[in-house]
Amino acid sequence: MIEVRNLVKYYGTHMAVDHLNFTIKKGQIYGFLGPNGAGKSTTMNIMTGYLGATQGQVFINGHDILSEPYKAKKDIGYLPEQPPLYMDMTVLEYLKFVAALKLIDKSIKSAQLDQVISLVRLGPVKNRLIKNLSKGYRQRVGLAGALIGFPEIIILDEPTVGLDPQQIIEIRQLIRGLAKDHTVILSSHILSEVREVCDHIMIIYQGKLVASDTPENLEQKMQGNETIELLVKGSPEQTGSVIRQLPSILSSQIEDSGEAGCTKALLTVKEQNDIREDIFWTFCKNELPLLRLANTRTTLEDIFLELTSSESSRNNDSTKEDPTDESNL
Ligand code: ADP
Ligand code: MG
């Protein structure tokens, strides 16, 4: 339903988006994950027709965002990083204004405004001036604006930035709720957020797509060898002799556990081998009680760090993110 082909964006001589290619399918929550300055906002601004690309194309349900903007844009609701709100309007006035811009039919306009206001829970503040609202409520007003017309695709740029923890939980719940009837694309530089909310993660780094998969597959693909930690009620010699009976062990390390009569062991196991049951039964047969069995997996955190740090250490160019750069969208 969304196809991004060979997208490139230069700001002056700085390449912010570097030949991006991807397809977004219907009915899922996609997460653009990447550190600040990775090119997420630029990509979203191009996908929604706010910004022209230097090269490449974006198709929304088959319509080119540049040559058929009306047809393409009618299927998209966009919440930019800084929603363009009119501070001197009330919430209701603003949403009516957005509905007018989106050419919402008069006959359904007020019912739809009610629906959006209740969905985003803006009822209690609908007659307040936007300038008097907290950041969390303003974010919801922006989200309500994006939802008017109930477009198929909802694109949200860092929707939880600047919100307090309670507001973050509420916005995430709202996003999950939206995914029942919409395709949602959100961006975030926070891994835990993307992992929690998204069905599919696209890691963007220095304008490139460096990974694209489900959170589970990303974790699995990148998984190296697994480490299993054991705490055994027995001597180091007894523990060592049981470990030698186990399959698929690459290496083992026996350590002092700090507990009298107990031994700690760290096992490195070949990739994709789950031998936890084998460990349990082998120790049982040898009548050696296992007090703890824990495996440490490669986490998405590790993957994210690996993908986004290896190049950055090599590539310290001066075009890197400047925290004082107001031009960062
Ligand atoms: P993200 O949203 O992932 O933080 P952006 O798309 O905002 O990243 O920015 C990507 C890169 O392009 C950054 O290095 C940023 O400083 C630069 N950039 C963004 N907007 C502009 C602009 N209007 N003019 C010049 N450089 C920009
Ligand atoms: Mg951004």
Side-chain angles (χ1 to χ4, degrees), residues 11 14 16 35-42 319 321 325 327-329:
Y11 292 113
H14 175 49
N36 287 328
K40 305 181 295 295
S41 298
T42 303
T319 52
E321 189 72 349
D325 183 2
S327 62
N328 188 5
L329 285 164

Side-chain angles (χ1 to χ4, degrees), residues 9-12 14-17 32-45 51 81 157-158 187-189 204-207 317 319-322 325-329:
K9 175 70 187 178
Y10 276 96
Y11 292 113
H14 175 49
M15 196 189 225
V17 174
F32 279 7
L33 175 67
N36 287 328
K40 305 181 295 295
S41 298
T42 303
T43 305
M44 287 181 151
N45 282 328
L51 195 68
E81 210 163 14
D157 195 358
E158 305 254 7
S187 73
S188 174
H189 62 283
I204 298 182
Y205 182 59
Q206 294 188 342
D317 64 296
T319 52
K320 273 280 169 51
E321 189 72 349
D322 173 0
D325 183 2
E326 289 285 307
S327 62
N328 188 5
L329 285 164

Side-chain angles (χ1 to χ4, degrees), residues 100-272:
L101 284 183
K102 290 193 175 183
L103 308 174
I104 303 298
D105 200 275
K106 278 219 171 69
S107 61
I108 56 163
K109 191 165 130 184
S110 88
Q112 205 184 95
L113 285 176
D114 287 346
Q115 203 181 343
V116 169
I117 285 170
S118 105
L119 187 66
V120 186
R121 281 182 275 153
L122 280 171
V125 300
K126 68 178 179 187
N127 293 316
R128 298 249 301 262
L129 289 175
I130 293 176
K131 69 179 170 197
N132 296 333
L133 297 180
S134 67
K135 165 96 182 159
Y137 271 105
R138 286 184 195 174
Q139 195 74 347
R140 286 194 216 187
V141 176
L143 185 57
L147 290 179
I148 287 176
F150 290 107
E152 254 175 77
I153 306 158
I154 311 279
I155 301 185
L156 311 170
D157 195 358
E158 305 254 7
T160 61
V161 157
L163 305 187
D164 69 37
Q166 183 56 36
Q167 294 168 332
I168 290 178
I169 292 170
E170 285 179 19
I171 290 273
R172 283 184 189 162
Q173 278 170 349
L174 231 157
I175 292 170
R176 276 198 217 96
L178 287 177
K180 289 188 200 112
D181 312 300
H182 303 268
T183 301
V184 181
I185 308 170
L186 63 89
S187 73
S188 174
H189 62 283
I190 305 162
L191 174 69
S192 56
E193 170 161 291
V194 172
R195 173 174 36 210
E196 202 176 305
V197 180
C198 301
D199 305 305
H200 195 102
I201 298 181
M202 302 166 88
I203 302 182
I204 298 182
Y205 182 59
Q206 294 188 342
K208 294 190 198 70
L209 188 63
V210 292
S212 171
D213 216 324
T214 61
E216 299 75 28
N217 283 350
L218 274 179
E219 265 165 341
Q220 200 152 29
K221 265 191 202 163
M222 310 286 291
Q223 212 169 41
N225 298 321
E226 224 174 335
T227 307
I228 299 183
E229 188 189 314
L230 305 177
L231 183 65
V232 182
K233 195 170 173 190
S235 69
E237 294 72 32
Q238 288 171 310
T239 305
S241 89
V242 179
I243 289 172
R244 281 191 285 280
Q245 300 169 31
L246 290 168
S248 314
I249 304 286
L250 288 178
S251 68
S252 65
Q253 192 184 332
I254 297 214
E255 292 176 4
D256 180 21
S257 70
E259 270 182 71
C262 296
T263 302
K264 189 172 144 184
L266 287 172
L267 310 178
T268 310
V269 183
K270 276 185 211 139
E271 197 179 359
Q272 314 284 342

Side-chain angles (χ1 to χ4, degrees), residues 18-39:
D18 186 355
H19 299 90
L20 276 188
N21 283 287
F22 58 84
T23 308
I24 302 276
K25 295 199 192 99
K26 207 173 169 164
Q28 290 207 323
I29 307 185
Y30 286 80
F32 279 7
L33 175 67
N36 287 328

Side-chain angles (χ1 to χ4, degrees), residues 49-100:
Y50 273 63
L51 195 68
T54 308
Q55 189 188 311
Q57 282 170 304
V58 175
F59 293 93
I60 312 288
N61 287 332
H63 303 293
D64 187 317
I65 193 83
L66 276 187
S67 60
E68 299 174 280
Y70 288 104
K71 282 183 180 158
K73 283 189 191 177
K74 77 169 178 27
D75 293 332
I76 305 177
Y78 183 34
L79 175 68
E81 210 163 14
Q82 266 131 30
L85 300 175
Y86 290 97
M87 295 296 160
D88 288 321
M89 286 185 178
T90 66
V91 171
L92 193 57
E93 279 166 357
Y94 174 74
L95 295 178
K96 280 184 179 165
F97 169 71
V98 174

